[in-house]
Amino acid sequence: MVSLKLSSFTHLFSSPSTTAISYRSPVILRRHHPFAARFSAKITPAETKDRVDNSKNRVPDRVITPRSQDFNAWYLDIIANAELADYGPVRGTMVIRPYGYAIWESIQDYLNVKFKETGHSNMYFPQFIPYSFIEKEASHVEGFSPELALVTIGGGKELEEKLVVRPTSETIVNHMFTQWIHSYRDLPLLINQWANVTRWEMRTKPFVRTLEFLWQEGHTAHATPEEAENEAKQMIDIYTRFAYEQAAIPVITGRKSKVETFAGACKTYTIEAMMGDKKALQAGTSHNLGQNFSRAFETQFTDENGQREYIWQTSWAVSTRFVGGIIMTHGDDAGLTLPPKIAPIQVVIVPIWKKDDEKMAVLNAAVSVKETLQSSGVKVKLDDSDQRTPGWKFNFWEMKGVPLRIEIGPRDVSSGSVVISRRDIPGKQGKVFGVSMEPSILEAYVKDKLDEIQSSLLERAIAFRDSNIVDVNTYDDLKAAISQGKWARGPWSASDADELKVKEETGATIRCFPFEQPQGSKRCLMTGDAAEEVAIFAKSY
């Protein structure tokens, strides 16, 4: 038996503030319902009334709070209704349900390929880390101490040394690197692990900030500082491309300020995403660790001249937080809206019949359509269950964010065609009648529409982001922009103390110094001194 001694964290179980979300609160994930097959009850568009009677599909107590009314409640309602996650028995933890985990698997599938293409190998490190390892790097222990979970008893006995439940793995990785790296021939060493992490958070929000979460963390060792810097930038570029090309999230990529840099790193690069409530979400980071950890752990190698040198390192990670980012970027009042490239189901087929003698022909046509699309690589689901009406199914799969819905009824079978509806365009504008069932035509049409949806979601998110970033030249301008819920972008060369003042007075932090910088001379918005870069300020999760 292993017990966690958490006496130093008792304050974390006190009642949260009005902005905090406690996993014991009856609000989180249960605003209108317990987790148990509760769905959105949005009425289907008027043009389908002749196809199904929707009056019996409405379930008034299973609604999603309007996004404009209460963004946080809307977010939690979607997680509940779309069956993405549920409570864990320990405050601040969550159980990721199959549909939520399938989205995470889509993220894994893309990144695993990219990691291996760039020479990285997957491996795994223990989740229990000796506390003495954490203490070796001063800024690291200072940065992580408030979030640590410690194991003090194992097998019924007090442990000689307390163990940290993995908050991140730089320390244990360095311990092992010291044993594996001896010569320049052992470099570079490029590894990644998919693992769980524990950080004892005070304020929790499903997927965005939980006591335990899933992530990948890459760790690399190099012979030169230039190699380490190139690696750190290469990995943030991979995250950026994933965000744009797969998740349809137009992140801003840049460098963190010194105040916001990862504990133990020389530089931190980040991708910052604007959520639907205009708060920033740090969606991924890549750290140039320099020699901070190698010096702490004496991780050295013999170079080509026979000299002993410390290695140069990086670490980089994205987590299940990205799932929350996808929800908050693309979702609407009807539920999830998933980009096709990461959707677990890209197309759902809903067969429609009223009479028993219609059923077999409709189902046969539906199965044929499913096989056509599956054989062409489309992820398709045939919902042929008898327990629910077609209208209920429309609402359910719309709420789960499936990009395309195909409806097949007796008239469609007779005409050899189907009806196709887009999730991203509600109502009759997104519905097309009479699409041919002929395999080559249907396959091409569906793939074309999936590509259109992917592009449309990105374009919509870019327009939203750009319309909510304000260029500022003075501190008063910055405060005005933040008070309006916007992001503020302006020249910055002020001190760390000035940066902390901005945070204290406005609640906003420097999200990053973007890689893309405007040309020309600039004056710091705070001090009036010359500034080489603009920074982006925003409130964040």
Side-chain angles (χ1 to χ4, degrees):
M1 181 183 75
V2 177
S3 67
L4 291 174
K5 186 174 182 180
L6 299 169
S7 57
S8 61
F9 305 115
T10 54
H11 65 288
L12 300 184
F13 293 87
S14 60
S15 298
S17 69
T18 55
T19 57
I21 302 297
S22 166
Y23 268 66
R24 294 195 182 278
S25 165
V27 173
I28 190 166
L29 306 185
R30 293 186 179 174
R31 185 173 177 85
H32 300 294
H33 38 66
F35 270 105
R38 295 295 182 103
F39 311 122
S40 169
K42 184 176 181 290
I43 299 176
T44 53
E47 70 277 8
T48 64
K49 285 185 177 178
D50 62 327
R51 300 172 65 86
V52 289
D53 175 10
N54 286 310
S55 61
K56 56 189 175 183
N57 300 316
R58 291 185 57 79
V59 188
D61 64 336
R62 296 175 182 177
V63 300
I64 293 175
T65 303
R67 202 168 86 145
S68 59
Q69 176 181 315
D70 187 331
F71 191 87
N72 187 62
W74 165 84
Y75 175 76
L76 301 177
D77 286 343
I78 285 183
I79 290 174
N81 282 303
E83 300 173 327
L84 298 176
D86 203 344
Y87 289 100
V90 176
R91 174 196 171 274
T93 63
M94 68 174 178
V95 177
I96 303 175
R97 300 184 68 175
Y99 198 63
Y101 198 86
I103 298 172
W104 176 236
E105 286 179 317
S106 294
I107 296 171
Q108 289 179 303
D109 290 344
Y110 175 90
L111 292 179
N112 249 330
V113 170
K114 296 303 178 184
F115 295 163
K116 291 174 183 178
E117 285 178 352
T118 48
H120 303 84
S121 299
N122 285 331
M123 61 180 300
Y124 185 79
F125 292 86
Q127 69 171 327
F128 297 120
I129 302 172
Y131 188 76
S132 59
F133 285 14
I134 303 293
E135 292 180 304
K136 282 189 176 184
E137 213 289 323
S139 63
H140 195 65
V141 67
E142 180 182 354
F144 276 100
S145 281
E147 301 177 350
L148 297 181
L150 306 176
V151 181
T152 60
I153 298 173
K157 297 181 180 179
E158 192 83 18
L159 298 178
E160 291 185 7
E161 179 179 2
K162 56 190 174 184
L163 304 176
V164 175
V165 184
R166 172 175 51 223
T168 183
S169 298
E170 280 77 9
T171 57
I172 195 168
V173 164
N174 260 87
H175 175 78
M176 300 310 301
F177 277 7
T178 299
Q179 300 179 45
W180 298 337
I181 298 171
H182 305 288
S183 162
Y184 68 92
R185 297 183 182 88
D186 300 321
L187 298 171
L189 182 53
L190 313 173
I191 59 113
N192 174 68
Q193 74 165 342
W194 295 91
N196 62 332
V197 170
T198 298
R199 295 180 184 176
W200 216 265
E201 300 281 2
M202 289 184 65
R203 298 179 177 182
T204 55
K205 186 183 184 77
F207 290 111
V208 173
R209 191 176 296 277
T210 50
L211 186 151
E212 179 190 17
F213 56 90
L214 303 180
W215 75 352
Q216 62 72 212
E217 54 175 320
H219 297 273
T220 68
H222 305 270
T224 69
E226 292 79 14
E227 286 182 19
E229 178 68 2
N230 290 338
E231 168 75 7
K233 287 187 173 179
Q234 171 185 250
M235 301 320 293
I236 203 65
D237 181 61
I238 286 175
Y239 293 159
T240 301
R241 282 187 281 130
F242 167 77
Y244 273 85
E245 297 172 7
Q246 303 292 309
I249 298 178
V251 296
I252 293 179
T253 308
R255 186 189 77 256
K256 286 287 190 183
S257 68
K258 181 181 176 183
V259 170
E260 296 290 324
T261 294
F262 175 75
C266 298
K267 295 178 184 177
T268 290
Y269 300 112
T270 181
I271 53 173
E272 299 289 326
M274 182 182 288
M275 299 294 95
D277 61 352
K278 294 175 275 191
K279 284 186 179 179
L281 183 77
Q282 178 181 289
T285 51
S286 181
H287 314 294
N288 183 337
L289 303 176
Q291 294 179 320
N292 292 339
F293 286 90
S294 63
R295 289 182 180 277
F297 283 81
E298 292 295 320
T299 313
Q300 295 179 285
F301 70 101
T302 301
D303 68 13
E304 295 183 53
N305 299 316
Q307 301 297 311
R308 295 291 288 170
E309 301 286 350
Y310 291 101
I311 61 170
W312 301 83
Q313 291 178 262
T314 76
S315 65
W316 28 272
V318 297
S319 74
T320 40
R321 167 177 277 217
F322 231 115
V323 177
I326 292 164
I327 298 168
M328 291 191 286
T329 299
H330 301 302
D332 59 22
D333 286 352
L336 281 174
T337 304
L338 292 176
K341 288 186 178 180
I342 60 167
I345 301 169
Q346 294 171 316
V347 178
V348 62
I349 302 169
V350 179
I352 302 168
W353 69 89
K354 291 184 179 180
K355 302 174 183 177
D356 289 342
D357 60 358
E358 298 171 336
K359 179 177 179 180
M360 189 56 65
V362 169
L363 287 179
N364 286 341
V367 169
S368 177
V369 168
K370 176 186 177 183
E371 291 174 349
T372 294
L373 295 177
Q374 275 188 331
S375 65
S376 67
V378 176
K379 293 180 281 187
V380 59
K381 163 79 175 176
L382 170 57
D383 188 347
D384 58 358
S385 59
D386 291 330
Q387 291 78 18
R388 299 290 186 179
T389 66
W392 185 95
K393 294 175 185 179
F394 293 173
N395 296 331
F396 176 62
W397 294 111
E398 182 178 74
M399 179 269 301
K400 291 181 80 87
V402 176
L404 284 178
R405 181 179 74 240
I406 295 179
E407 305 163 24
I408 304 176
R411 286 176 296 174
D412 303 307
V413 174
S414 299
S415 64
S417 64
V418 299
V419 178
I420 298 183
S421 296
R422 288 174 57 158
R423 173 63 182 86
D424 64 319
I425 303 177
K428 63 178 65 177
Q429 291 81 7
K431 184 181 286 285
V432 176
F433 294 82
V435 179
S436 174
M437 286 188 197
E438 200 282 316
S440 61
I441 296 175
L442 181 62
E443 175 188 332
Y445 184 90
V446 166
K447 288 188 173 181
D448 181 61
K449 290 306 169 188
L450 291 174
D451 288 342
E452 280 187 23
I453 293 169
Q454 186 78 29
S455 298
S456 175
L457 290 176
L458 178 60
E459 290 167 5
R460 185 186 301 174
I462 289 173
F464 179 79
R465 180 200 67 186
D466 291 349
S467 66
N468 286 291
I469 298 178
V470 178
D471 287 309
V472 299
N473 293 301
T474 68
Y475 186 37
D476 285 341
D477 290 345
L478 183 151
K479 288 189 285 188
I482 298 300
S483 69
Q484 296 167 14
K486 307 274 189 177
W487 288 20
R489 178 174 52 202
W492 185 263
S493 61
S495 66
D496 294 350
D498 285 329
E499 182 178 343
L500 293 172
K501 176 185 175 183
V502 173
K503 181 178 182 179
E504 180 180 345
E505 295 183 355
T506 71
T509 55
I510 292 180
R511 303 318 304 158
C512 69
F513 293 92
F515 286 164
E516 293 185 7
Q517 288 283 331
Q519 299 299 311
S521 60
K522 295 174 280 291
R523 291 285 172 182
C524 176
L525 66 88
M526 179 68 81
T527 65
D529 296 334
E532 295 182 357
E533 300 175 291
V534 298
I536 290 181
F537 292 79
K539 293 183 179 179
S540 66
Y541 283 102

